[in-house]
Amino acid sequence: MPKKNKILVTGGAGFVGSSLADALLEKGNYEIVLVDNLLTGRMENLPNHPNCRFIKSDVNSYNDIAPIF
């Protein structure tokens, strides 16, 4: 089986980020990591898929985002 491409989507619990994740999960062999601080995003927007993982984090904070990379 080919190696999965890993993609990080910031704002992943928002409309645009979650829609992008849905499309990528449908069309390709991707492992998706969604990052969102949930200030405006919503948990119910997150895709329910085994190749998708959510991390609550603020991308504006180096101490939050650095370990994710």
Side-chain angles (χ1 to χ4, degrees), residues 44-58:
E44 53 268 16
N45 289 343
L46 299 173
N48 183 16
H49 193 281
N51 291 340
C52 187
R53 183 169 63 132
F54 173 71
I55 300 172
K56 185 176 188 269
S57 180
D58 187 349

Side-chain angles (χ1 to χ4, degrees), residues 2 16 18-19 23-25 28 32-36 39 42 44 49 52-55 58-59 61:
V16 173
S18 63
S19 296
L24 290 168
L25 290 165
I32 309 292
V33 177
L34 302 173
V35 176
D36 202 301
L39 288 179
R42 301 184 332 217
E44 53 268 16
H49 193 281
C52 187
R53 183 169 63 132
F54 173 71
I55 300 172
D58 187 349
V59 297
S61 169

Side-chain angles (χ1 to χ4, degrees), residues 6-10 33 35 53 55 57-59 61-69:
K6 295 180 182 180
I7 297 178
L8 174 69
V9 178
T10 59
V33 177
V35 176
R53 183 169 63 132
I55 300 172
S57 180
D58 187 349
V59 297
S61 169
Y62 176 80
N63 291 332
D64 278 1
I65 199 69
I68 295 169
F69 284 98

